[in-house]
Amino acid sequence: MPYDVSHALVLNLHQPPSNLDDLLTDSLWEATEILYALDRIPRALWRHEQHARVHLSLSGTLLETLSAPAFQQRAYGIVDCGALLWHLQNTRTIRILGTAYYHPVLPLIPPGDWAEQLARWRGIAGHLFARTDFGGFWPPEMGFRMEMIPLLRQWGYRYVLVDSEHVEPVSPMRWERLRYRPHVARHDGQEIVVVVRDRELSDAQESGMDADWFLREVGERTRWCDFPPLVTTCTDGDNGGWFRNTSPNANFWSVFHDDLLQRVTAGGGVRPTFIDDYLDRYGADGEVRVKPGAWNTGWHHGTGFTQWTGSAAQRDALTRVAELSQDLRARGADGREDLREAHWRVLRAETSCNFYWGEAWLPRCHADLDEAERLLTR
C-alpha cells in the first residue's frame, strides 16, 4: 500500500452530575474503578510519549466534579484529582476536544440551548486547561444533525466527529474514501470538516481486542486506499470492564495500547496521529451530508435516537424540557438570579443519561424541571 495508515484514537469521558460523589458513598469500588480508569490514561501515555496520540472529550459535569475541592478531598486516598487534571494538559500526547457541558444529545434538546451548553463547557475547560482553542468537537453520544454546523463554526471548531452509519456522499466516492478520509459538510452557508468514526473497529475497541487483530483488520479495510487513510476509533474511556479493569493483563492500555505502541516504535503498524496534524498535512476531501443520528449503544444502532426517545415517558420528558426552555427564553434567562438558577436546572435536565436508561433516570430530569418551574412561578 502506497500510504501509511494514520490512526486517531478518541475517548469520551463523562459522569453525570453528582454521580461520582454518590458512588463514593454507596458503591466505593465502582467509584474507585472509574477514578483509576481516568487516572490511568495519562500514566499509560508517559512511557510512549514519542508516539502516543489520544483525543479526549471530558464533559463539563465530569470536569466540575474533578475540580471541586470537596470532591478532591474525598477522593484523595484513591486518586489525586488535581494532579490528574494537570497531567491531562500534556499536549504532546493528548488533545482535548470541545463538547457540551451537561452532555446532552444536542439534536434532541431545543436549539436555543445549544450555545449555552457549548459556552458553559468552554468556560470550565478554558480555565482548567489554560487554553481557548480546542480544534475539534465531540457531540455527546455522537448525536449530530447538520443544523449544528453554523454554531460549531461560530465557536471556532475546525472539525466534528460523526459516526460512519450516518454519512452519505455528496461528491462521488468509494466506500473506503467515504470512511477513511475527512470530508466537508455544509449547512446554511457554513462548512465544517467531518471526521468519520469507524463503527465496527470502535465496537472492537470498546469490547476488547489485541494489536495483531487490529493491525490485520485495518490492513484489510484500507488495502485499496489510493489516498492517505485516517482510521478513527471512538469509544467511552471510563465505562466497561475493558477500560475499568485494574488488572495489568486485562485492560485496554496494558493489553492493546502498549503492544500497539511498541510496534509503532519498532517502525511497524499504523501511525498514531492527532486529527489536526492529519488535516494540516492532507486536508479534507469531497463533500458529504450527515443524517441525524447518534453512535450505536448496547441496545440500539443510533438511528432515530431511539435509545433516548423510545418510550412515551422519555418523549414526554423531552417535551417538558422544550416547553420550559422556551418559557425561560421568553422571560430572559440571564436576568434575575432565580431565572438564572432555573436556566441551569433546565440545562442539567437535558443530560443524556437522564434518558439513556429508559425511564429509570427520568425522575432526575423531572426533579430539575420541577425546581425550575418553582423558580419561574416565584
Side-chain angles (χ1 to χ4, degrees):
M1 199 181 74
Y3 296 100
D4 292 334
V5 177
S6 298
H7 176 219
L9 170 60
V10 183
L11 298 177
N12 172 57
L13 307 173
H14 166 61
Q15 292 296 316
S18 77
N19 193 58
L20 282 175
D21 256 315
D22 295 341
L23 289 175
L24 282 177
T25 301
D26 301 327
S27 183
L28 180 59
W29 178 241
E30 185 177 357
T32 300
E33 283 186 310
I34 295 171
L35 288 168
Y36 281 171
L38 299 173
D39 194 55
R40 192 178 296 121
I41 295 171
R43 297 178 185 277
L45 303 177
W46 288 341
R47 56 184 172 272
H48 301 294
E49 196 167 72
Q50 181 179 357
H51 298 291
R53 304 289 183 266
V54 178
H55 305 77
L56 299 179
S57 165
L58 298 96
S59 68
T61 51
L62 175 59
L63 293 175
E64 180 182 303
T65 297
L66 294 177
S67 61
F71 180 82
Q72 290 184 351
Q73 185 175 7
R74 290 191 71 194
Y76 187 75
I78 304 169
V79 164
D80 184 339
C81 296
L84 168 60
L85 290 169
W86 172 256
H87 295 319
L88 292 178
Q89 295 189 44
N90 184 352
T91 56
R92 186 168 185 182
T93 58
I94 295 171
R95 287 286 187 274
I96 304 295
L97 299 172
T99 188
Y101 192 99
Y102 289 105
H103 202 266
V105 182
L106 287 167
L108 298 183
I109 70 170
D113 288 343
W114 292 353
E116 189 63 22
Q117 291 277 3
L118 269 61
R120 291 186 181 222
W121 183 88
R122 186 68 70 91
I124 192 171
H127 171 68
L128 293 176
F129 298 114
R131 69 194 73 162
T132 57
D133 182 12
F134 291 92
F137 186 79
W138 173 263
E141 310 287 7
M142 296 200 87
F144 184 78
R145 74 187 209 207
M146 296 284 280
E147 289 83 354
M148 292 162 53
I149 291 173
L151 180 65
L152 297 181
R153 290 298 302 137
Q154 178 184 328
W155 278 92
Y157 290 110
R158 181 184 190 184
Y159 65 88
V160 61
L161 289 140
V162 301
D163 187 78
S164 57
E165 182 74 11
H166 310 302
V167 182
E168 298 178 332
V170 175
S171 306
M173 63 184 77
R174 290 165 52 95
W175 175 88
E176 58 270 19
R177 184 175 292 272
L178 181 65
R179 185 166 293 203
Y180 301 125
R181 277 285 275 152
H183 310 289
V184 170
R186 296 184 173 94
H187 183 81
D188 199 19
Q190 298 290 320
E191 66 179 44
I192 197 168
V193 173
V194 166
V195 176
V196 182
R197 171 204 190 224
D198 186 296
R199 175 173 283 200
E200 294 78 27
L201 290 177
S202 297
D203 287 346
Q205 176 175 296
E206 181 178 41
S207 58
M209 61 182 175
D210 60 52
D212 281 333
W213 179 88
F214 179 74
L215 291 172
R216 285 197 304 272
E217 189 68 17
V218 168
E220 287 299 314
R221 286 169 174 261
T222 59
R223 64 184 301 182
W224 303 114
C225 292
D226 57 354
F227 55 88
L230 174 67
V231 175
T232 305
T233 55
C234 311
T235 63
D236 285 334
D238 57 350
N239 287 323
W242 180 230
F243 283 92
R244 289 189 188 180
N245 198 312
T246 58
S247 168
N249 300 314
N251 73 56
F252 170 85
W253 298 104
S254 54
V255 174
F256 169 74
H257 193 261
D258 277 354
D259 191 9
L260 181 67
L261 268 292
Q262 287 167 8
R263 294 162 186 258
V264 170
T265 302
V270 301
R271 182 179 64 236
T273 189
F274 289 132
I275 294 168
D276 273 313
D277 291 344
Y278 178 95
L279 293 175
D280 288 344
R281 185 174 182 183
Y282 300 114
D285 176 70
E287 183 178 353
V288 298
R289 69 176 65 90
V290 184
K291 298 177 293 183
W295 64 359
N296 52 314
T297 66
W299 294 271
H300 202 266
H301 50 69
T303 302
F305 307 104
T306 304
Q307 183 73 50
W308 301 271
T309 64
S311 74
Q314 288 169 306
R315 295 190 293 273
D316 288 345
L318 286 166
T319 298
R320 191 179 176 206
V321 165
E323 291 171 348
L324 277 169
S325 175
Q326 182 178 3
D327 192 358
L328 275 164
R329 283 195 297 278
R331 296 173 187 240
D334 294 327
R336 290 167 23 202
E337 179 62 31
D338 51 358
L339 292 182
R340 288 196 295 270
E341 183 177 349
H343 191 199
W344 74 254
R345 291 278 185 177
V346 171
L347 294 172
R348 192 171 74 170
E350 295 168 349
T351 299
S352 67
C353 302
N354 289 344
F355 305 91
Y356 180 88
W357 302 106
E359 299 176 16
W361 278 34
L362 287 181
R364 299 183 181 217
C365 172
H366 287 296
D368 271 330
L369 296 180
D370 289 345
E371 180 62 16
E373 278 191 338
R374 186 189 68 80
L375 291 162
L376 288 173
T377 301
R378 186 176 71 185

